[in-house]
């Protein structure tokens, strides 16, 4: 499945509660309803605005999540 190949999936669990998607961060154990993997990357990358950021993720992972977001923004 293509969407499961994203690196961010290694840092979240996913479950479906009825019609609602629930993502749980494996670092800070916060859960998010009705979000998507892009918003989960923002959570790990520590980019403020749309979603709270993870305070327990390592600097390496934070940097790793910031790079694809930066590339998308540079493209646009």
């Amino acid at each position: 499945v293509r969407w499961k190949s994203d690196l961010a999936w290694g840092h979240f669990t996913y479950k479906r509660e009825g019609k609602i998607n629930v993502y749980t961060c494996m670092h800070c154990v916060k859960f998010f309803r009705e979000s998507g993997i892009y918003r989960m990357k923002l959570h790990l990358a520590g980019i403020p605005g749309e979603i709270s950021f993870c305070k327990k993720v390592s600097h390496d992972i934070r940097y790793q999540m910031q790079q694809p977001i930066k590339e998308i923004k540079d493209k646009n």
Side-chain angles (χ1 to χ4, degrees):
V1 177
R2 187 179 139 221
W3 58 275
K4 286 284 189 178
S5 65
D6 196 303
L7 291 175
W9 283 114
H11 304 279
F12 289 91
T13 60
Y14 165 83
K15 67 179 176 179
R16 192 126 170 108
E17 292 180 355
K19 293 183 178 183
I20 298 173
N21 299 327
V22 179
Y23 302 89
T24 305
C25 177
M26 293 180 183
H27 301 279
C28 67
V29 197
K30 276 191 176 181
F31 66 93
F32 304 91
R33 296 176 187 271
E34 290 303 319
S35 293
I37 196 63
Y38 179 75
R39 290 188 75 213
M40 299 301 98
K41 280 185 193 176
L42 293 176
H43 171 72
L44 292 173
I47 297 173
E50 290 187 41
I51 195 165
S52 65
F53 62 91
C54 184
K55 295 177 182 176
K56 296 190 176 185
V57 72
S58 72
H59 293 288
D60 293 343
I61 295 168
R62 186 174 309 279
Y63 179 78
Q64 197 176 34
M65 293 300 129
Q66 288 172 346
Q67 294 313 302
I69 293 168
K70 185 177 185 261
E71 289 171 15
I72 290 168
K73 287 184 179 183
D74 289 348
K75 235 182 204 182
N76 295 333

XYZ file of all heavy atoms in Angstrom:
640
model
N 0.850 -1.174 0.000
C 0.000 0.000 0.000
C 0.893 1.234 0.000
O 1.773 1.362 0.843
C -0.931 0.004 1.235
C -1.770 1.253 1.275
C -1.784 -1.237 1.248
N 0.674 2.153 -0.913
C 1.540 3.310 -1.111
C 1.613 4.216 0.109
O 2.673 4.639 0.529
C 1.049 4.090 -2.323
C 1.975 5.193 -2.699
C 1.486 5.933 -3.922
N 1.731 7.338 -3.674
C 0.930 8.311 -3.968
N -0.211 8.057 -4.536
N 1.226 9.547 -3.695
N 0.488 4.527 0.712
C 0.481 5.493 1.810
C 1.189 4.993 3.044
O 1.621 5.758 3.871
C -0.935 5.963 2.125
C -1.891 4.869 2.489
C -2.607 4.087 1.643
C -2.245 4.449 3.803
N -3.379 3.207 2.341
C -3.179 3.403 3.673
C -1.871 4.851 5.075
C -3.730 2.754 4.769
C -2.440 4.199 6.159
C -3.350 3.172 5.986
N 1.372 3.711 3.190
C 2.081 3.163 4.345
C 3.595 3.241 4.176
O 4.332 2.928 5.089
C 1.673 1.710 4.588
C 0.295 1.569 5.175
C 0.309 1.928 6.626
C -1.012 1.581 7.268
N -1.063 1.852 8.671
N 4.087 3.676 3.021
C 5.532 3.744 2.795
C 6.150 5.017 3.367
O 7.363 5.137 3.415
C 5.840 3.632 1.307
O 5.313 4.750 0.620
N 5.338 5.959 3.804
C 5.836 7.209 4.361
C 6.596 6.942 5.660
O 6.159 6.155 6.497
C 4.655 8.145 4.632
C 5.100 9.568 4.844
O 5.919 9.790 5.759
O 4.642 10.442 4.107
N 7.737 7.607 5.849
C 8.564 7.409 7.045
C 7.821 7.739 8.341
O 8.103 7.156 9.387
C 9.817 8.281 6.969
C 10.846 7.909 5.926
C 11.960 8.956 5.899
C 11.423 6.540 6.215
N 6.886 8.653 8.282
C 6.160 9.060 9.487
C 5.351 7.911 10.090
O 5.092 7.899 11.287
C 5.245 10.239 9.180
N 4.951 6.930 9.282
C 4.158 5.809 9.811
C 4.915 5.022 10.871
O 4.304 4.374 11.710
C 3.705 4.884 8.684
C 2.569 5.459 7.922
C 2.585 5.865 6.622
C 1.253 5.719 8.407
N 1.358 6.373 6.276
C 0.521 6.289 7.348
C 0.620 5.529 9.631
C -0.808 6.663 7.490
C -0.712 5.903 9.763
C -1.401 6.467 8.697
N 6.226 5.090 10.865
C 7.013 4.395 11.876
C 6.922 5.034 13.252
O 7.421 4.489 14.229
N 6.260 6.183 13.338
C 6.172 6.930 14.591
C 4.741 7.080 15.104
O 4.513 7.726 16.118
C 6.796 8.320 14.407
C 8.200 8.240 13.914
N 9.259 7.991 14.766
C 8.712 8.325 12.662
C 10.370 7.958 14.046
N 10.061 8.153 12.776
N 3.794 6.481 14.397
C 2.388 6.580 14.769
C 1.711 5.228 14.684
O 2.065 4.402 13.862
C 1.636 7.535 13.829
C 2.001 8.961 14.037
C 3.030 9.532 13.323
C 1.342 9.729 14.973
C 3.403 10.838 13.532
C 1.690 11.043 15.186
C 2.720 11.598 14.469
N 0.723 5.048 15.534
C -0.186 3.925 15.361
C -1.465 4.494 14.776
O -1.773 5.668 14.962
C -0.484 3.195 16.680
O -1.094 4.107 17.596
C 0.781 2.620 17.293
N -2.185 3.655 14.084
C -3.405 4.085 13.414
C -4.505 3.085 13.739
O -4.270 1.884 13.736
C -3.161 4.128 11.905
C -4.410 4.217 11.070
C -5.021 5.437 10.841
C -4.975 3.079 10.509
C -6.157 5.531 10.070
C -6.116 3.153 9.745
C -6.711 4.383 9.530
O -7.844 4.470 8.771
N -5.670 3.612 14.040
C -6.822 2.729 14.182
C -8.053 3.479 13.722
O -8.053 4.703 13.630
C -6.973 2.216 15.611
C -7.336 3.251 16.636
C -7.492 2.618 18.003
C -7.770 3.702 19.037
N -7.962 3.148 20.356
N -9.058 2.738 13.431
C -10.309 3.306 12.954
C -11.354 3.088 14.035
O -11.563 1.970 14.478
C -10.706 2.602 11.668
C -11.787 3.254 10.927
C -11.316 3.512 9.486
N -12.462 3.936 8.709
C -12.624 5.168 8.293
N -11.708 6.049 8.531
N -13.677 5.518 7.619
N -11.992 4.161 14.483
C -13.082 4.084 15.451
C -14.355 4.474 14.725
O -14.654 5.658 14.571
C -12.828 5.013 16.641
C -11.681 4.582 17.517
C -11.458 5.521 18.698
O -12.137 6.569 18.794
O -10.580 5.211 19.511
N -15.069 3.478 14.261
C -16.244 3.758 13.429
C -15.791 4.376 12.126
O -15.066 3.766 11.362
N -16.196 5.612 11.884
C -15.794 6.304 10.661
C -14.663 7.294 10.903
O -14.296 8.064 10.033
C -16.992 7.049 10.075
C -18.066 6.131 9.567
C -19.183 6.924 8.934
C -20.234 5.974 8.384
N -21.313 6.701 7.701
N -14.104 7.292 12.099
C -13.079 8.270 12.474
C -11.698 7.623 12.511
O -11.509 6.564 13.103
C -13.412 8.890 13.852
C -14.744 9.645 13.774
C -12.297 9.816 14.306
C -15.232 10.140 15.106
N -10.717 8.284 11.887
C -9.319 7.845 11.931
C -8.679 8.413 13.187
O -8.817 9.597 13.475
C -8.551 8.355 10.716
C -9.124 7.823 9.425
O -9.623 6.715 9.373
N -9.051 8.616 8.382
N -7.960 7.566 13.906
C -7.269 8.002 15.121
C -5.793 7.632 14.993
O -5.447 6.474 14.783
C -7.874 7.361 16.394
C -7.125 7.824 17.627
C -9.356 7.680 16.508
N -4.938 8.641 15.115
C -3.495 8.454 15.057
C -2.921 8.731 16.441
O -3.288 9.717 17.069
C -2.863 9.424 14.061
C -3.406 9.298 12.670
C -4.523 10.025 12.266
C -2.808 8.456 11.746
C -5.032 9.915 10.984
C -3.308 8.348 10.460
C -4.420 9.074 10.090
O -4.908 8.962 8.824
N -1.998 7.892 16.897
C -1.357 8.089 18.194
C 0.150 8.165 18.006
O 0.755 7.275 17.402
C -1.706 6.933 19.163
O -3.133 6.826 19.250
C -1.126 7.181 20.540
N 0.743 9.223 18.517
C 2.191 9.411 18.440
C 2.862 8.436 19.400
O 2.502 8.362 20.573
C 2.538 10.852 18.804
S 4.320 11.176 18.827
N 3.843 7.696 18.921
C 4.549 6.722 19.752
C 5.543 7.386 20.704
O 6.050 6.732 21.606
C 5.278 5.720 18.877
C 4.381 4.826 18.098
S 5.401 3.709 17.123
C 4.160 2.826 16.216
N 5.819 8.660 20.507
C 6.783 9.355 21.352
C 6.117 10.020 22.546
O 6.531 9.836 23.677
C 7.565 10.394 20.532
C 8.304 9.796 19.386
N 9.517 9.167 19.522
C 7.975 9.695 18.075
C 9.908 8.719 18.351
N 8.994 9.031 17.456
N 5.059 10.799 22.282
C 4.420 11.545 23.369
C 3.056 10.969 23.751
O 2.427 11.440 24.690
C 4.272 13.020 22.988
S 3.107 13.323 21.643
N 2.583 9.982 23.017
C 1.327 9.264 23.256
C 0.093 10.175 23.122
O -0.959 9.871 23.625
C 1.337 8.509 24.609
C 0.238 7.472 24.656
C 2.676 7.838 24.868
N 0.232 11.306 22.424
C -0.935 12.127 22.112
C -1.686 11.461 20.976
O -1.074 10.844 20.104
C -0.515 13.527 21.656
C -0.244 14.471 22.762
C -0.105 15.878 22.212
C 0.076 16.850 23.347
N 0.191 18.212 22.875
N -3.011 11.611 20.991
C -3.768 11.062 19.874
C -4.500 12.174 19.146
O -4.821 13.209 19.712
C -4.718 9.952 20.323
C -5.829 10.420 21.215
C -7.057 10.777 20.691
C -5.652 10.481 22.592
C -8.076 11.210 21.507
C -6.663 10.907 23.417
C -7.889 11.279 22.874
N -4.693 11.941 17.870
C -5.310 12.921 16.984
C -6.404 12.236 16.190
O -6.194 11.180 15.629
C -4.266 13.505 16.022
C -3.089 14.105 16.725
C -1.965 13.338 17.004
C -3.115 15.423 17.138
C -0.874 13.882 17.668
C -2.037 15.980 17.798
C -0.913 15.206 18.070
N -7.551 12.870 16.147
C -8.677 12.347 15.371
C -8.811 13.153 14.085
O -8.587 14.355 14.080
C -9.975 12.470 16.164
C -9.993 11.650 17.411
C -11.280 11.918 18.189
N -11.231 11.252 19.468
C -11.647 10.013 19.681
N -12.147 9.316 18.690
N -11.570 9.467 20.879
N -9.202 12.455 13.037
C -9.483 13.099 11.757
C -8.332 13.948 11.253
O -8.534 15.051 10.768
C -10.773 13.927 11.849
C -12.022 13.099 11.962
C -12.218 12.110 10.806
O -11.968 12.455 9.641
O -12.621 10.976 11.084
N -7.136 13.475 11.424
C -5.959 14.123 10.853
C -5.445 13.239 9.735
O -6.016 12.203 9.451
C -4.889 14.303 11.925
O -5.308 15.227 12.885
N -4.373 13.632 9.126
C -3.749 12.820 8.093
C -2.260 12.746 8.349
O -1.737 13.372 9.276
N -1.563 11.997 7.524
C -0.144 11.777 7.744
C 0.644 13.083 7.597
O 1.639 13.283 8.286
C 0.403 10.661 6.820
C 1.758 10.175 7.303
C 0.450 11.109 5.373
C 1.745 9.534 8.662
N 0.168 14.012 6.760
C 0.867 15.295 6.624
C 0.836 16.051 7.952
O 1.851 16.577 8.397
C 0.235 16.134 5.515
C 0.919 17.485 5.364
C 2.164 17.576 4.763
C 0.321 18.638 5.842
C 2.805 18.802 4.634
C 0.953 19.866 5.722
C 2.198 19.937 5.122
O 2.833 21.148 5.002
N -0.303 16.085 8.608
C -0.404 16.768 9.897
C 0.410 16.031 10.963
O 0.961 16.649 11.871
C -1.863 16.896 10.328
C -2.573 17.905 9.428
C -3.946 18.247 9.894
N -3.842 19.135 11.045
C -4.706 19.142 12.040
N -5.727 18.321 12.050
N -4.563 19.976 13.046
N 0.524 14.729 10.841
C 1.344 13.974 11.788
C 2.820 14.330 11.594
O 3.570 14.427 12.557
C 1.131 12.465 11.625
C -0.296 12.000 11.879
S -0.894 12.382 13.544
C -1.822 13.871 13.261
N 3.224 14.560 10.350
C 4.597 15.005 10.085
C 4.832 16.376 10.714
O 5.894 16.625 11.272
C 4.863 15.098 8.585
C 5.168 13.801 7.933
C 5.536 14.075 6.499
C 5.557 12.816 5.702
N 5.815 13.063 4.293
N 3.843 17.261 10.605
C 3.966 18.582 11.224
C 4.140 18.439 12.734
O 4.920 19.171 13.350
C 2.730 19.437 10.925
C 2.520 19.864 9.480
C 1.198 20.613 9.348
C 3.669 20.713 8.980
N 3.426 17.498 13.329
C 3.540 17.230 14.767
C 4.975 16.818 15.113
O 5.574 17.347 16.041
C 2.547 16.131 15.163
C 2.705 15.630 16.549
N 2.350 16.373 17.658
C 3.180 14.448 17.028
C 2.602 15.666 18.752
N 3.105 14.498 18.390
N 5.545 15.901 14.351
C 6.912 15.432 14.612
C 7.955 16.483 14.265
O 8.974 16.600 14.942
C 7.192 14.154 13.816
C 6.423 12.918 14.243
C 6.671 11.787 13.262
C 6.773 12.496 15.653
N 7.706 17.253 13.200
C 8.670 18.248 12.739
C 8.715 19.471 13.643
O 9.656 20.251 13.584
C 8.344 18.669 11.313
N 7.687 19.653 14.461
C 7.670 20.799 15.362
C 7.308 22.094 14.665
O 7.702 23.166 15.099
N 6.559 22.003 13.577
C 6.146 23.192 12.836
C 4.841 23.696 13.450
O 3.836 22.994 13.438
C 5.998 22.886 11.338
C 7.371 22.473 10.798
C 5.429 24.081 10.591
C 7.378 21.987 9.393
N 4.874 24.898 14.008
C 3.691 25.418 14.708
C 2.584 25.846 13.748
O 2.830 26.065 12.573
C 4.235 26.618 15.475
C 5.393 27.075 14.651
C 5.978 25.830 14.029
N 1.399 25.920 14.298
C 0.288 26.430 13.514
C -0.892 25.493 13.500
O -1.835 25.665 14.251
N -0.817 24.472 12.680
C -1.947 23.582 12.479
C -2.164 22.565 13.599
O -3.281 22.133 13.833
C -1.782 22.806 11.174
C -1.933 23.642 9.940
C -1.931 22.785 8.700
O -2.557 21.706 8.702
O -1.292 23.192 7.731
N -1.093 22.160 14.257
C -1.183 21.047 15.194
C -0.109 21.225 16.273
O 0.919 21.845 16.025
C -1.018 19.704 14.426
C -1.456 18.517 15.252
C 0.385 19.537 13.890
C -1.661 17.250 14.440
N -0.366 20.706 17.460
C 0.642 20.799 18.518
C 1.865 19.971 18.129
O 1.754 19.000 17.400
C 0.068 20.292 19.838
O -0.220 18.914 19.752
N 3.028 20.376 18.623
C 4.216 19.624 18.245
C 4.650 18.684 19.361
O 4.359 18.898 20.523
C 5.360 20.541 17.797
C 5.865 21.486 18.845
C 6.908 21.114 19.664
C 5.304 22.739 18.988
C 7.390 21.982 20.626
C 5.777 23.612 19.942
C 6.817 23.234 20.765
N 5.338 17.629 18.946
C 5.797 16.596 19.869
C 7.010 17.112 20.633
O 7.993 17.538 20.042
C 6.155 15.332 19.102
S 6.628 13.963 20.173
N 6.942 17.050 21.947
C 8.038 17.519 22.791
C 9.016 16.405 23.152
O 10.031 16.658 23.773
C 7.473 18.150 24.059
C 6.669 19.399 23.767
C 6.066 19.977 25.005
C 5.220 21.194 24.649
N 4.528 21.755 25.798
N 8.713 15.172 22.750
C 9.550 14.037 23.139
C 10.305 13.392 21.984
O 11.079 12.477 22.197
C 8.693 12.989 23.843
C 8.123 13.512 25.148
C 7.480 12.428 25.945
C 7.018 12.987 27.280
N 6.491 11.957 28.147
N 10.089 13.862 20.778
C 10.757 13.274 19.620
C 12.221 13.736 19.595
O 12.530 14.853 20.020
C 10.000 13.631 18.313
C 10.177 15.084 17.955
C 10.428 12.742 17.172
N 13.113 12.878 19.108
C 14.535 13.234 19.047
C 14.782 14.273 17.954
O 13.984 14.426 17.029
C 15.380 11.991 18.774
O 15.201 11.567 17.441
N 15.910 14.966 18.057
C 16.265 15.982 17.063
C 16.464 15.372 15.683
O 16.132 15.994 14.673
C 17.518 16.747 17.495
C 17.302 17.576 18.718
N 16.558 18.728 18.707
C 17.708 17.401 20.000
C 16.516 19.241 19.926
N 17.210 18.451 20.733
N 16.998 14.155 15.633
C 17.214 13.482 14.349
C 15.893 13.245 13.617
O 15.785 13.503 12.423
C 17.925 12.140 14.547
C 19.349 12.290 15.038
O 19.905 13.410 14.932
O 19.905 11.296 15.532
N 14.916 12.742 14.338
C 13.610 12.464 13.731
C 12.928 13.773 13.349
O 12.338 13.877 12.276
C 12.727 11.616 14.663
C 13.368 10.242 14.853
C 11.306 11.492 14.114
C 12.755 9.413 15.950
N 13.016 14.776 14.212
C 12.426 16.081 13.906
C 12.995 16.610 12.585
O 12.264 17.041 11.705
C 12.694 17.076 15.033
C 11.972 18.392 14.836
C 12.100 19.337 16.000
N 11.778 18.783 17.294
C 10.545 18.625 17.782
N 9.513 18.960 17.050
N 10.357 18.115 18.966
N 14.314 16.556 12.436
C 14.965 17.012 11.208
C 14.510 16.184 10.006
O 14.229 16.724 8.933
C 16.489 16.938 11.366
C 17.233 17.374 10.136
C 17.385 18.722 9.842
C 17.786 16.435 9.273
C 18.064 19.136 8.698
C 18.467 16.827 8.128
C 18.595 18.173 7.850
O 19.260 18.571 6.716
N 14.437 14.882 10.194
C 14.021 13.967 9.134
C 12.605 14.294 8.646
O 12.330 14.192 7.453
C 14.078 12.538 9.679
C 14.064 11.457 8.677
C 14.226 10.104 9.349
O 13.748 9.881 10.459
N 14.883 9.188 8.680
N 11.725 14.702 9.525
C 10.353 15.044 9.154
C 10.262 16.447 8.551
O 9.383 16.722 7.753
C 9.421 14.958 10.369
C 9.217 13.571 10.904
S 8.493 12.466 9.683
C 9.629 11.095 9.774
N 11.187 17.326 8.895
C 11.164 18.690 8.367
C 11.560 18.736 6.895
O 11.068 19.585 6.145
C 12.107 19.591 9.170
C 11.619 19.926 10.543
C 12.650 20.648 11.390
O 13.831 20.694 11.055
N 12.204 21.196 12.508
N 12.435 17.846 6.473
C 12.953 17.897 5.103
C 11.880 17.746 4.033
O 11.818 18.576 3.125
C 14.080 16.865 4.917
C 15.311 17.185 5.733
C 15.722 18.638 5.610
O 15.980 19.133 4.525
N 15.757 19.348 6.732
N 11.008 16.730 4.071
C 9.989 16.624 3.013
C 9.003 17.795 3.035
O 8.543 18.236 1.986
C 9.263 15.312 3.298
C 9.903 14.697 4.468
C 10.977 15.598 4.968
N 8.712 18.332 4.216
C 7.801 19.471 4.321
C 8.441 20.697 3.670
O 7.799 21.425 2.922
C 7.437 19.746 5.795
C 6.610 18.572 6.334
C 6.687 21.057 5.944
C 6.427 18.578 7.834
N 9.739 20.881 3.931
C 10.465 22.005 3.329
C 10.503 21.869 1.809
O 10.306 22.853 1.085
C 11.886 22.052 3.884
C 12.690 23.236 3.434
C 14.059 23.239 4.103
C 14.811 24.489 3.735
N 15.763 24.311 2.669
N 10.706 20.661 1.304
C 10.744 20.428 -0.134
C 9.398 20.765 -0.783
O 9.354 21.367 -1.848
C 11.124 18.975 -0.437
C 12.566 18.662 -0.147
C 12.883 17.177 -0.252
O 12.057 16.420 -0.823
O 13.950 16.772 0.235
N 8.311 20.394 -0.129
C 6.976 20.692 -0.650
C 6.752 22.200 -0.702
O 6.273 22.732 -1.696
C 5.882 19.996 0.199
C 5.931 18.484 -0.022
C 4.496 20.541 -0.133
C 5.103 17.693 0.965
N 7.128 22.889 0.377
C 6.945 24.338 0.417
C 7.827 25.036 -0.615
O 7.419 26.019 -1.222
C 7.232 24.862 1.825
C 6.124 24.504 2.788
C 6.351 25.102 4.139
C 5.184 24.727 5.048
N 5.289 25.334 6.361
N 9.054 24.546 -0.822
C 9.947 25.139 -1.818
C 9.414 24.943 -3.237
O 9.586 25.805 -4.090
C 11.355 24.543 -1.714
C 12.083 25.018 -0.463
O 11.612 25.976 0.204
O 13.127 24.412 -0.128
N 8.776 23.788 -3.483
C 8.195 23.490 -4.784
C 7.079 24.471 -5.125
O 6.956 24.916 -6.264
C 7.622 22.078 -4.778
C 8.126 21.200 -5.851
C 7.439 19.870 -5.760
C 8.274 18.795 -6.395
N 7.635 17.508 -6.362
N 6.258 24.768 -4.123
C 5.109 25.660 -4.340
C 5.591 27.066 -4.354
O 5.219 27.954 -4.915
C 4.059 25.478 -3.252
C 3.458 24.093 -3.300
O 3.421 23.474 -4.348
N 2.997 23.613 -2.170
